[in-house]
């Protein structure tokens, strides 16, 4: 087991970091936060031109065909700069659904568009508050037409198509590919703590729905894809946690009080040390998740939940303590601390809440222990 990236993957990381340092400074994030645009279109186009959107998409479908580990590298760098782009919806989710369960025609139509940035995809699962599950799905498909409401849907207002979980005519949960530009689709923007990662309410009124995957297999497919996406999301959170720690450290070394840097005071030292431990633990668990994602599908369910829980905790911890280290200035709009705090809370709810993944981890570890004992 090798829990580190290869030299080639580290070179990719350096390349992506240089690109994002130029194209996605904090000012670019603030432009989306304060403006009318819902995501950075020029940045998204640049990621496509570099082949980063198609990193894990096979060459036959317009991608680069590198693999999931390379996508983990990209995800971490996107998280460091809080990139305001719909990569998680389009690449971590929609593309993975197509690769795992899509028909050849569906792959041929949509994967090249996702890799080139021409189209945005998303996954519509939740139908309101509470833990998402097969028993919570009320949207239904009858006669090939979808009706129901999904919320929140990440990047749903800008997506060109969605993979939707709905009940088929037999009452079982199945997946459907729905073009969101068709008549009968109503979209409403939802207010969130982080407007740079938009959420929407999608209402479907007898909209044409194309089956994706086997009938009645929707929840099983969705679980597999969300585990894969959880690892990638965890790397985004890891990148954000590391950057928040760096911001706090730099400020503690520069800010003077009583004639010396505030980083020399014991309380600040302890705070920074706690942030470092949290981020380092998350990195270890993320690397385990990346290894399972690329090499051990049997271990992925536990590894994905572990990475997700650890990275969520680390990002929230580091972003909150970053504000504390900055003191009163950290609470102001002028400093960038709130950008990381916003994103940490937004990502904590993506793909299911922290408590949901904690429960998943306990259940999966318990199931594994039971199998071992048997």
């Amino acid at each position: 087991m090798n829990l580190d990236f290869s030299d080639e993957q580290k070179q990719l990381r350096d390349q992506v970091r240089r690109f994002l340092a130029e194209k996605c400074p904090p000012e670019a994030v603030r432009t989306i936060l304060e403006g009318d645009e819902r995501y950075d279109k020029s940045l998204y186009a640049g990621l496509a031109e570099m082949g980063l959107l198609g990193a894990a998409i096979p060459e036959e479908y317009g991608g680069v065909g590198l693999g999931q580990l390379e996508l983990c590298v990209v995800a971490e760098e996107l998280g460091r700069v809080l990139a305001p782009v719909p990569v998680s919806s389009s690449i971590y989710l929609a593309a993975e659904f197509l690769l795992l369960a899509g028909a050849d025609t569906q792959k041929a139509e949509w994967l090249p568009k996702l890799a080139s940035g021409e189209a945005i995809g998303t996954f519509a699962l939740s139908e309101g508050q509470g833990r998402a599950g097969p028993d919570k799905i009320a949207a239904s498909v009858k006669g090939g037409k979808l009706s129901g409401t999904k919320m929140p849907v990440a990047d749903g207002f800008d997506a060109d198509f969605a993979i939707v979980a709905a009940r088929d005519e037999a009452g079982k949960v199945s997946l459907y590919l729905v073009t969101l530009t068709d008549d009968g689709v109503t979209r409403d923007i939802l207010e969130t703590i982080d407007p740079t990662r938009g959420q929407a309410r999608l209402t479907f009124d007898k909209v044409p729905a194309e089956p994706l995957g086997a009938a009645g297999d929707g929840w099983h497919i969705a679980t597999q894809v969300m585990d894969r996406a959880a690892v990638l999301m965890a790397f985004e959170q890891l990148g954000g946690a590391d950057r928040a720690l760096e911001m706090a450290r730099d400020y503690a070394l520069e800010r003077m009080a009583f004639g010396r840097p505030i980083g020399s005071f014991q309380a600040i030292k302890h705070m920074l040390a706690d942030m470092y431990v949290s981020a380092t633990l998350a990195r270890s668990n993320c690397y385990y998740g990346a290894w399972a994602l690329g090499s051990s599908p049997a271990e992925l369910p536990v590894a994905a939940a572990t990475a997700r829980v650890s990275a969520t905790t680390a990002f929230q911890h580091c972003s909150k303590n970053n504000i504390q280290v900055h003191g009163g200035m950290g609470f102001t709009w002028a400093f960038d601390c709130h950008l990381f705090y916003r994103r940490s809370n937004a990502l904590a709810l993506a793909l299911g809440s922290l408590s949901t993944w904690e429960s998943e981890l306990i259940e999966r570890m318990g199931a594994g222990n039971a199998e071992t004992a048997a």
Side-chain angles (χ1 to χ4, degrees), residues 248-299:
R249 176 204 62 199
D250 293 346
Y251 187 79
L253 293 174
E254 295 171 0
R255 179 74 167 90
M256 302 294 290
F258 305 106
R260 56 176 175 158
I262 63 172
S264 65
F265 295 111
Q266 191 173 45
I268 299 297
K269 288 181 179 180
H270 286 176
M271 196 175 297
L272 292 171
D274 286 344
M275 294 167 70
Y276 176 80
V277 170
S278 180
T280 302
L281 178 61
R283 180 169 297 280
S284 175
N285 287 318
C286 284
Y287 278 26
Y288 172 45
W291 171 81
L293 182 61
S295 305
S296 183
E299 294 193 44

Side-chain angles (χ1 to χ4, degrees), residues 111-343:
L111 284 176
K113 294 179 181 179
L114 291 175
S116 67
E118 179 183 349
I120 295 172
T122 189
F123 176 42
L125 172 64
S126 298
E127 298 186 11
Q129 296 180 345
R131 180 177 179 178
D135 58 323
K136 298 287 185 68
I137 295 175
S140 61
V141 173
K142 296 181 179 179
K145 300 296 181 67
L146 169 67
S147 296
T149 299
K150 294 289 184 177
M151 63 172 285
V153 180
D155 302 301
F157 200 87
D158 296 292
D160 298 283
F161 73 97
I163 308 300
V164 183
R167 298 197 176 278
D168 57 26
E169 296 194 49
K172 297 180 179 180
V173 176
S174 298
L175 296 176
Y176 298 89
L177 194 157
V178 180
T179 303
L180 298 181
T181 53
D182 287 343
D183 292 338
V185 179
T186 302
R187 313 194 213 193
D188 299 294
I189 296 176
L190 300 177
E191 291 187 9
T192 68
I193 191 171
D194 184 5
T196 66
R197 297 295 287 266
Q199 302 283 343
R201 178 193 298 111
L202 302 183
T203 304
F204 304 96
D205 183 14
K206 298 179 180 179
V207 181
E210 185 180 330
L212 185 139
D217 202 28
W219 189 254
H220 175 64
I221 297 170
T223 299
Q224 294 180 70
V225 172
M226 285 195 292
D227 281 349
R228 301 170 74 85
V231 175
L232 295 164
M233 189 75 73
F235 270 94
E236 273 202 29
Q237 294 170 300
L238 174 62
D242 268 359
R243 183 64 193 123
L245 171 58
E246 292 171 6
M247 291 170 63
R249 176 204 62 199
D250 293 346
Y251 187 79
L253 293 174
E254 295 171 0
R255 179 74 167 90
M256 302 294 290
F258 305 106
R260 56 176 175 158
I262 63 172
S264 65
F265 295 111
Q266 191 173 45
I268 299 297
K269 288 181 179 180
H270 286 176
M271 196 175 297
L272 292 171
D274 286 344
M275 294 167 70
Y276 176 80
V277 170
S278 180
T280 302
L281 178 61
R283 180 169 297 280
S284 175
N285 287 318
C286 284
Y287 278 26
Y288 172 45
W291 171 81
L293 182 61
S295 305
S296 183
E299 294 193 44
L300 180 59
V302 170
T306 302
R308 174 68 171 155
V309 169
S310 182
T312 298
T313 302
F315 194 11
Q316 289 194 298
H317 178 219
C318 290
S319 65
K320 181 175 68 174
N321 278 10
N322 182 33
I323 294 175
Q324 295 298 322
V325 170
H326 280 75
M329 295 300 294
F331 289 88
T332 66
W333 190 267
F335 276 58
D336 294 331
C337 302
H338 68 95
L339 301 177
F340 287 82
Y341 186 72
R342 288 171 182 272
R343 182 62 62 85

